[in-house]
Amino acid sequence: MAPTNEILLRIRGLRIEGRAGHVWNEIVHGVDLDLHKGEVLGLIGESGAGKSTIGLAAMGFTRDGCRISGGSVEFDGVDLTKSSEGYRRQLRGKRIAYVAQSAAASFNPAHKLIDQYTEMPVEHGVLTKREAEQEAVTLYRQLQLPNPEEIGFRYPHQVSGGQLQRAMTAMAMSCHPDLIIFDEPTTALDVTTQIEVLSAIRDAVAQYGTAAIYITHDLAVVAQMADRVLVLLKGDPVEEAPTREMLSHPKEDYTKSLWAVREFRTEPKPAPAPDAVPAVRVANVTAAYGPITVLRNVTFDIHTGRTVAVVGESGSGKSTTARCITGLLPPVEGLIEIEGQVMPGDYRSRTKNQLRQAQMIYQMADTALNPRQRIRDIIGRPIEFYLGLKGKKKEERIRALLDEIELEPDAYIDRLPSELSGGQKQRIGIARALAAEPSFIICDEVTSALDQLVAEGILRLLDKIQKEFNLAYMFITHDLATVRSIADEVVVMKEGLVVEQGPKEEMFTPPHHAYTDLLLSSVPEMDPDWLDHLLEERRAKGISP
Amino acid sequence: MIEFFENTWTNLTNIFNAMLEGGPITLGVFLGYTFTILLGMSVGAWIVKRALLLATSGRRRHNLGLIPVTAYFGMLTIATYIFVAVFADILAPYPETDTSGGSFEMWSAQHILGTDNRGGDMLSRLIYGARNTVGLAFVITFLAFIIGGVLGLLAATLGGFLDQAMSRVVDVLMSIPPLIFSLLLLTIFGTSVLNLILVIAILDSTRVYRLARAVSMNVVVMDFVEAARLRGEGLWWVISREILPNITAPLIAEFGLRFCFVFLTISALSFLGLGLQPPTADWGSMVKENADLINYADPTPLLPALAIALLTVAVNFVVDWMLHRSSGLKD
Amino acid sequence: MPPVLRMILQRLGLGLLTLFVVSILISVAIELLPGDLAQQILGQTATPENLAAFRKEVGLDQDPVTRYFTWLGGAIQGDFGVSMASRRPIADLIANRLYNTLFLALYAAAIAVPLAVTLGLLAALYRNSLYDRAVNVFTLGSISTPEFFVAYILILWLVHGAGLFGVLSTIPTDATFGQQIEATTLPAITLTLVVTAHMMRMTRAAIINLLASPYIEMARLKGIPRYKVILRHALPNALAPIINVIAINLAYLITGVVIVEQVFTYPGLGGLMVDSVSKQDATVVQACCLIFASVYILLNLIADVLSIVTNPRLLHPK
């Protein structure tokens, strides 16, 4: 069903405050929004943009410690900010439903899926329990859940994440609501699973003509799902336009910068000499946690000055490989060589110099920096520990490193990590690794917790440093856009095995190994028709989406 | 209904008169005094807060303003106790072991709170009790923290067999109720002050161990600890620079809670006649020694118990505030 | 074997093992007693023949390991040996008092558990209300107060003020149930007051923790009425934490019992234990200690088994 001109939801001048201790701070500063019946509106923004808060406010709901301080939320002509709690409760579930980011946490562990499904229509007097149960099977089938007749009788922990997310969408549709709020429903899923959920959600919403607000930080996802997009920045609306128009002709600078992010590419580097000694050699490594083997016969080289991206979904063994290289998990079989020298399997048996050569940058900068140490000590310690510099020389070195990561030394040297933004913390993590003067750095999902603009800054910095110090990088990531930006070579892993490896250009041009193909084709693209084409293609090839 | 209010009013007036003019100390008068003291301390806490806010400005003033009055009350009370404990010799009208009065004298000008069973001045013994009982509880808590804290940190950082072995031993020690266990151990080793300190400190250190291990575990799994280990740092650096600074807040709060627990335990043991022995002034045993008075409806023996309760409440207030502050960023 | 069953059996095994280790610990502690037991019991006037005969009688001539197993074997059948002070069988000393103590504890628990759980639940549901604040002040005051303080205040108020009960809780050996109740009420109220505060605070904390779960927010967003959110979504998941809170506090009752029995000179096991400690009657202390520890371990065991049984993740394995 196509969007109509009838307005379903009208938000005007919405202001929301959040409590910090005893003070209230405004986190949404006057947002206007119109949603027509049957229309899908994408709410897009980086973390702290207030997307989820606005989504919940559309149901007349605020979380504990938040309050609506101004404006109106009119649903079907009634202002929810002025209506009674009883009236809002009647609406929730029946006419406006919600799909949460983490279905695993949002389903009650004590009840079967079907009982949580039927609760809503029975409570709102829409259907009897029996009718609802029958309809659940229809919806489960529609959302392409396996065994639709039986899956409802399972408990949430017995069902996988992607299936739970679809079951939650089915639950949201149980009363045939006019509006569903989708709050980042695929963020926690792997790319190959994300496709299934996206297509299921889209088909179901289209078939029942339900209007939706689709909240996400992923531009490519919103391109597939939404008719219209509203871009938010720190609680302020930036730009609003139909999806195709927004993608092809963004007006505001901020929107343009979001779109531009994906275009960063490192310059191609010359291939290493055939007889060059690799900076790191992982040779036939097999590793296990207790009786469970998690890596099987993993082999690849990383040459000086080059970047190898190790790609795979969660559980593929990419982080385990890093743990083997650093010596946190001694391999059962196989060798780790750095600069042609065989490393002892356990990091405790390695010399100071061996430890210095391989450094690591972590995914979560929050937990990677000691919150009780100042920047001076965080960067200064490896300088003193490995290079033996003290006093003035150490101070000079710290300042030089801060210059290197583009942070003003005087302003930052005495700060605590809590006084930095996410991107700045990650830069400090880079400086700490550099301070050891290594030959090789492992970057473990270093950009995945960051907003896209910030992430790009980090990638550019890493590229600059690599050229300057001729470093070898091992880049662990699940994000193929990052791989395209920065990798020279790619290693694809699945279930502890290397599935395919080679130079980036080869990997991104067909033919691929079947799994690489699945992985590559599952990464959403900015083209609004991408999902349709992909599904068509897959159907033609006879694979289920 | 009206009758009820009239009765209450008469009762209150009687209590008030008795408080002003002296006379037999009844439960009502006793509670009247208690209430007056609490009210005084609360008003004092409020005044201190206002005074501090007037004397400061800017960020510091903002921070002081965030501290609830209950915490001021707690800190004021604790300060008072410390003051009394330190200057007991000057404050007390009679020496600690003086027994010059008759036994069980009424409240009078010579003995403001009357005398105890052996003719000691109740007020003086209360004041000395602050030094003995609170000091003992502090020493035990401190010792328990050293033992439990060090072992807990080591267990969390080293892991493996050491952690398993120590944790199992602690499980067993904790599977006997602590008061019962200390009764058993004190029977065997005797009830000297040193034994009392060692037995309770060791039993209490099991709880400290559990907490120290648990909070350290949360820090040990952090990436910055892994980074320090991969850098090649030794055990001492990892514990003292990486872990300890991140667990001081919960440990200090726990110190307050443990202190309360130890304080109540040694009071209970003293009350059972197994703690500090007379003539050393101790609040728990003072209640026991003078309990006979209660059979004559005289609440005087409850003064030391009140002193115990007041300090415990005060410490709890401060701990509550500290716990709230350390988790405050989340809500 | 279903995982629930396996976990329960594991937990039972662990409980038994703990009990066994604790019994060894208690026995070793007694072995550490300085001096010659027989000499201490029979006094300085005893002849060597008497001493030897006594040693044989109570098994002191055997090696510690044999003695331990003999003692343990007896203890399992309710025979704890002979009191060192009175030379009477400990079982006789204990029997009646154990009943009295259990009666007191159950009486207090019967009042405290429903009261504390209900009040704690209400405090969690009406968080930050005036009621919640009042509860917080009351419970903080109550957990900060020594048990004997509460007991004496109640005596002054209810006995001397209102003239409701007798001061001492003497129970005639052939007491009727009514008499038993009457003699036990004041100690039970004292225990209730002490334990209720702890239990309320912990129940409140457990429920508040639970109410912050995403599935509770989901239930509210489904438009489910508040009381149904609590009954259907919060309570089934709150069972395990609440059971845990109850077990911890019933265990806490054990400590309270010792003090309260002393205040009211109630003829229970706690009083016996304290008396025996002052008389250095090690064998009786040993027996009391074993009984208290067993009850404590048993309560924790029951709580753990109940949490396993009420956990849907374990009940319905993948």
Side-chain angles (χ1 to χ4, degrees):
Chain A
M1 199 168 102
T4 62
N5 286 329
E6 221 176 314
I7 289 209
L8 182 66
L9 178 74
R10 183 198 297 271
I11 294 180
R12 284 293 174 271
L14 178 66
R15 291 174 184 277
I16 300 175
E17 294 180 342
R19 189 176 55 196
H22 292 260
V23 252
W24 290 89
N25 300 320
E26 198 171 87
I27 48 178
V28 173
H29 324 281
V31 168
D32 296 344
L33 183 155
D34 284 318
L35 185 68
H36 300 94
K37 286 200 171 161
E39 185 187 31
V40 179
L41 175 75
L43 271 189
I44 192 152
E46 304 183 325
S47 51
K51 328 182 273 290
S52 296
T53 316
I54 296 171
L56 288 170
M59 306 181 78
F61 184 89
T62 48
R63 293 212 163 107
D64 280 346
C66 285
R67 65 179 185 199
I68 296 177
S69 56
S72 61
V73 178
E74 272 180 36
F75 180 81
D76 217 10
V78 180
D79 185 354
L80 297 186
T81 62
K82 297 197 176 64
S83 67
S84 70
E85 180 60 30
Y87 180 81
R88 289 194 293 255
R89 190 178 64 67
Q90 290 293 328
L91 280 187
R92 286 178 199 147
K94 187 176 179 185
R95 302 201 55 200
I96 317 177
Y98 180 75
V99 175
Q101 173 168 0
S102 168
S106 297
F107 270 118
N108 192 326
H111 299 295
K112 290 175 189 152
L113 293 180
I114 193 86
D115 293 334
Q116 303 194 47
Y117 176 98
T118 55
E119 188 180 14
M120 211 153 46
V122 172
E123 180 63 45
H124 291 295
V126 179
L127 298 169
T128 65
K129 190 167 164 63
R130 175 157 306 208
E131 285 165 353
E133 277 176 6
Q134 282 163 359
E135 231 190 75
V137 176
T138 319
L139 263 168
Y140 287 157
R141 181 170 294 122
Q142 182 135 34
L143 286 157
Q144 295 147 25
L145 282 164
N147 300 326
E149 283 86 10
E150 287 153 35
I151 195 162
F153 295 94
R154 298 205 202 150
Y155 284 85
H157 65 273
Q158 297 170 319
V159 179
S160 77
Q163 292 171 5
L164 270 185
Q165 207 70 52
R166 279 177 274 166
M168 177 155 285
T169 307
M171 183 166 85
M173 306 195 77
S174 60
C175 293
H176 301 291
D178 300 293
L179 170 64
I180 303 183
I181 316 285
F182 290 96
D183 191 355
E184 306 240 17
T186 61
T187 306
L189 305 175
D190 280 326
V191 274
T192 49
T193 322
Q194 171 169 279
I195 293 288
E196 302 163 10
V197 177
L198 284 181
S199 66
I201 288 180
R202 207 178 60 162
D203 293 351
V205 168
Q207 174 156 3
Y208 290 91
T210 315
I213 293 181
Y214 197 98
I215 298 166
T216 180
H217 66 280
D218 191 331
L219 296 162
V221 166
V222 89
Q224 313 311 315
M225 306 302 286
D227 302 314
R228 207 151 44 92
V229 178
L230 171 61
V231 180
L232 293 165
L233 174 64
K234 290 180 183 145
D236 278 311
V238 177
E239 191 177 349
E240 190 186 338
T243 308
R244 281 171 198 276
E245 195 182 313
M246 178 79 90
L247 287 171
S248 49
H249 301 101
K251 288 195 195 76
E252 301 293 324
D253 287 344
Y254 175 70
T255 321
K256 284 180 192 160
S257 70
L258 280 180
W259 267 229
V261 165
R262 310 222 152 194
E263 281 155 23
F264 171 65
R265 295 279 185 277
T266 59
E267 292 163 31
K269 296 163 195 136
D275 57 343
V277 176
V280 180
R281 160 164 280 171
V282 179
N284 306 95
V285 166
T286 297
Y289 289 115
I292 305 150
T293 305
V294 284
L295 285 185
R296 281 192 187 81
N297 208 17
V298 172
T299 302
F300 59 88
D301 292 349
I302 306 174
H303 283 274
T304 304
R306 292 177 72 82
T307 303
V308 171
V310 180
V311 193
E313 297 185 293
S314 44
S316 62
K318 49 193 197 306
S319 289
T320 313
T321 313
R323 288 174 67 84
C324 285
I325 296 175
T326 53
L328 281 169
L329 181 69
V332 181
E333 274 171 51
L335 293 175
I336 305 292
E337 281 177 27
I338 294 183
E339 304 285 356
Q341 195 188 3
V342 177
M343 293 284 124
D346 190 328
Y347 75 95
R348 280 167 288 202
S349 320
R350 295 186 185 176
T351 65
K352 219 185 215 185
N353 198 42
Q354 286 170 335
L355 289 170
R356 182 186 62 76
Q357 282 174 317
Q359 291 294 310
M360 182 134 178
I361 307 171
Y362 295 84
Q363 173 179 11
M364 306 299 289
D366 277 327
T367 62
L369 306 179
N370 189 333
R372 298 281 162 177
Q373 287 177 1
R374 297 193 180 276
I375 303 308
R376 178 194 303 279
D377 300 316
I378 292 174
I379 304 180
R381 179 63 187 171
I383 296 175
E384 186 178 328
F385 187 79
Y386 288 129
L387 314 175
L389 297 183
K390 288 205 165 91
K392 208 164 167 234
K393 281 191 174 164
K394 179 169 125 185
E395 174 90 9
E396 276 167 19
R397 191 80 193 98
I398 298 170
R399 285 172 178 275
L401 281 165
L402 282 171
D403 277 329
E404 192 68 53
I405 56 165
E406 294 151 20
L407 291 179
E408 172 56 41
D410 286 328
Y412 288 96
I413 194 162
D414 282 318
R415 289 205 196 179
L416 287 169
S418 56
E419 297 162 331
L420 301 178
S421 70
Q424 288 169 341
K425 280 181 209 164
Q426 199 56 289
R427 281 167 191 263
I428 298 298
I430 295 173
R432 178 174 63 186
L434 273 187
E437 303 191 352
S439 55
F440 162 62
I441 297 181
I442 298 172
C443 304
D444 187 0
E445 302 268 15
V446 286
T447 55
S448 61
L450 300 174
D451 289 327
Q452 295 184 32
L453 276 176
V454 183
E456 199 208 76
I458 296 289
L459 291 184
R460 286 182 195 276
L461 175 67
L462 284 170
D463 187 46
K464 184 191 90 173
I465 289 169
Q466 181 173 46
K467 285 182 194 134
E468 204 171 319
F469 299 98
N470 205 18
L471 293 168
Y473 285 159
M474 172 174 159
F475 219 94
I476 297 170
T477 184
H478 67 279
D479 178 21
L480 289 158
T482 310
V483 176
R484 264 185 211 171
S485 301
I486 201 162
D488 299 305
E489 268 139 282
V490 182
V491 174
V492 182
M493 293 189 72
K494 190 193 179 196
E495 289 162 12
L497 288 166
V498 174
V499 180
E500 197 176 2
Q501 59 175 308
K504 177 172 73 177
E505 302 75 38
E506 272 177 36
M507 297 297 289
F508 280 100
T509 29
H512 324 280
H513 181 275
Y515 179 70
T516 313
D517 189 61
L518 181 69
L519 206 58
L520 283 176
S521 64
S522 298
V523 180
E525 285 167 21
M526 300 290 263
D527 173 9
D529 300 319
W530 167 81
L531 185 58
D532 292 327
H533 291 161
L534 176 76
L535 294 175
E536 241 168 68
E537 216 172 277
R538 286 192 182 174
R539 256 179 229 118
K541 281 190 204 161
I543 10 176
S544 65
Chain B
M1 199 63 178
I2 296 167
E3 205 182 338
F4 173 79
F5 281 114
E6 273 175 0
N7 279 340
T8 317
W9 179 248
T10 327
N11 278 335
L12 283 177
T13 344
N14 286 344
I15 288 168
F16 193 65
N17 285 339
M19 281 168 70
L20 284 182
E21 294 158 11
I25 311 299
T26 62
L27 178 63
V29 176
F30 177 78
L31 292 179
Y33 277 120
T34 310
F35 186 71
T36 315
I37 294 172
L38 287 178
L39 197 69
M41 297 291 281
S42 311
V43 172
W46 188 80
I47 291 173
V48 169
K49 179 170 178 176
R50 286 293 129 197
L52 278 173
L53 288 182
L54 279 180
T56 52
S57 61
R59 190 163 178 80
R60 168 166 288 179
R61 180 174 192 276
H62 175 77
N63 287 339
L64 285 170
L66 288 180
I67 306 175
V69 178
T70 48
Y72 280 101
F73 173 91
M75 287 187 276
L76 194 68
T77 310
I78 294 169
T80 313
Y81 273 71
I82 294 175
F83 178 80
V84 171
V86 171
F87 295 103
D89 293 323
I90 301 166
L91 293 171
Y94 295 86
E96 184 177 357
T97 52
D98 174 88
T99 49
S100 56
S103 63
F104 295 139
E105 282 180 32
M106 298 280 261
W107 296 18
S108 66
Q110 276 87 38
H111 300 284
I112 300 172
L113 301 177
T115 60
D116 67 7
N117 60 327
R118 296 172 313 114
D121 179 57
M122 202 71 187
L123 177 65
S124 304
R125 292 185 64 76
L126 264 179
I127 290 174
Y128 280 104
R131 176 181 287 178
N132 299 334
T133 314
V134 180
L136 186 67
F138 186 81
V139 168
I140 293 175
T141 316
F142 189 74
L143 199 61
F145 252 74
I146 298 292
I147 303 170
V150 168
L151 293 182
L153 265 168
L154 279 176
T157 318
L158 294 174
F161 175 75
L162 183 85
D163 178 23
Q164 286 298 318
M166 285 201 294
S167 297
R168 291 296 83 74
V169 169
V170 164
D171 283 349
V172 171
L173 289 181
M174 283 178 78
S175 64
I176 307 177
L179 185 71
I180 304 295
F181 206 1
S182 34
L183 284 178
L184 174 74
L185 293 178
L186 291 174
T187 317
I188 294 159
F189 299 114
T191 53
S192 72
V193 176
L194 184 67
N195 284 344
L196 194 67
I197 292 177
L198 288 177
V199 164
I200 301 181
I202 289 174
L203 289 185
D204 209 54
S205 69
T206 55
R207 266 108 187 135
V208 181
Y209 170 86
R210 278 266 176 100
L211 180 96
R213 182 177 172 280
V215 292
S216 311
M217 276 297 195
N218 290 338
V219 179
V220 164
V221 296
M222 296 273 188
D223 290 336
F224 63 82
V225 178
E226 187 186 298
R229 285 180 166 163
L230 283 179
R231 198 188 302 141
E233 301 283 6
L235 181 67
W236 173 244
W237 174 282
V238 172
I239 288 184
S240 67
R241 299 297 187 91
E242 307 288 347
I243 299 174
L244 203 52
N246 287 295
I247 60 168
T248 38
L251 280 187
I252 290 173
E254 178 71 4
F255 190 90
L257 291 179
R258 286 330 316 163
F259 173 82
C260 291
F261 189 82
V262 167
F263 191 50
L264 290 175
T265 306
I266 58 171
S267 302
L269 283 173
S270 300
F271 176 75
L272 295 175
L274 300 164
L276 290 175
Q277 302 294 328
T280 309
D282 169 75
W283 289 341
S285 50
M286 280 169 75
V287 177
K288 181 192 169 67
E289 300 285 311
N290 300 299
D292 281 348
L293 272 185
I294 291 180
N295 295 336
Y296 301 98
D298 181 343
T300 310
L302 293 188
L303 284 171
L306 185 67
I308 295 168
L310 188 59
L311 180 60
T312 321
V313 169
V315 175
N316 268 317
F317 273 155
V318 177
V319 168
D320 245 28
W321 161 64
M322 281 167 48
L323 284 176
H324 190 78
R325 194 183 55 165
S326 61
S327 69
L329 293 172
K330 274 180 269 167
D331 56 30
Chain C
M1 184 165 28
V4 187
L5 201 61
R6 198 174 64 226
M7 282 194 71
I8 290 175
L9 286 179
Q10 270 173 359
R11 188 60 192 84
L12 283 174
L14 188 69
L16 277 179
L17 185 69
T18 314
L19 209 52
F20 182 63
V21 174
V22 164
S23 72
I24 293 179
L25 200 68
I26 293 172
S27 302
V28 170
I30 296 296
E31 293 292 330
L32 291 177
L33 261 180
D36 181 3
L37 276 179
Q39 190 86 58
Q40 277 183 21
I41 294 164
L42 298 184
Q44 294 301 321
T45 51
T47 60
E49 292 79 31
N50 280 349
L51 283 173
F54 180 78
R55 286 200 184 96
K56 198 163 169 65
E57 180 192 331
V58 297
L60 275 173
D61 52 345
Q62 291 162 322
D63 66 299
V65 179
T66 323
R67 200 157 62 234
Y68 165 72
F69 281 106
T70 320
W71 173 75
L72 186 67
I76 290 170
Q77 298 161 37
D79 172 17
F80 295 92
V82 181
S83 156
M84 282 168 44
S86 64
R87 295 194 60 186
R88 287 173 55 196
I90 295 175
D92 293 354
L93 287 172
I94 284 178
N96 215 6
R97 287 168 169 267
L98 180 61
Y99 171 74
N100 286 341
T101 294
L102 286 178
F103 188 87
L104 171 59
L106 287 176
Y107 188 2
I111 312 174
V113 172
L115 188 71
V117 170
T118 317
L119 294 180
L121 260 170
L122 288 175
L125 295 183
Y126 298 97
R127 190 154 40 127
N128 297 330
S129 65
L130 200 64
Y131 166 72
D132 183 29
R133 277 160 214 255
V135 160
N136 191 33
V137 170
F138 162 73
T139 53
L140 196 71
S142 187
I143 60 168
S144 305
T145 312
E147 292 91 343
F148 50 83
F149 186 54
V150 180
Y152 282 128
I153 291 279
L154 285 179
I155 290 183
L156 282 170
W157 179 37
L158 295 178
V159 178
H160 295 293
L164 281 178
F165 303 93
V167 180
L168 299 179
S169 309
T170 40
I171 304 172
T173 36
D174 54 348
T176 61
F177 188 73
Q179 284 173 310
Q180 183 110 23
I181 289 273
E182 197 189 332
T184 318
T185 297
L186 202 49
I189 293 177
T190 310
L191 273 177
T192 304
L193 277 176
V194 174
V195 178
T196 302
H198 274 279
M199 221 187 290
M200 272 167 80
R201 275 174 88 85
M202 289 161 87
T203 308
R204 178 183 178 275
I207 298 297
I208 283 181
N209 197 14
L210 194 90
L211 290 180
S213 323
Y215 56 79
I216 298 296
E217 183 180 285
M218 191 69 214
R220 292 179 63 193
L221 289 172
K222 281 162 85 175
I224 312 289
R226 196 181 168 86
Y227 76 96
K228 281 193 191 166
V229 173
I230 302 297
L231 287 180
R232 206 183 290 158
H233 290 273
L235 268 189
N237 294 292
L239 279 179
I242 289 180
I243 289 166
N244 214 7
V245 168
I246 293 174
I248 292 174
N249 285 287
L250 289 186
Y252 192 79
L253 262 183
I254 296 172
T255 309
V257 155
V258 177
I259 311 270
V260 169
E261 287 185 355
Q262 196 69 8
V263 174
F264 293 97
T265 55
Y266 182 87
L269 204 57
L272 176 69
M273 183 164 182
V274 174
D275 286 347
S276 308
V277 171
S278 3
K279 286 188 217 148
Q280 298 259 304
D281 191 344
T283 45
V284 178
V285 174
Q286 183 183 23
C288 294
C289 194
L290 186 71
I291 292 173
F292 279 124
S294 310
V295 174
Y296 192 76
I297 293 169
L298 194 70
L299 279 174
N300 283 317
L301 184 68
I302 293 172
D304 284 358
V305 169
L306 284 177
S307 337
I308 294 172
V309 172
T310 54
N311 185 337
R313 281 165 203 278
L314 296 172
L315 270 187
H316 313 284
K318 290 198 177 185

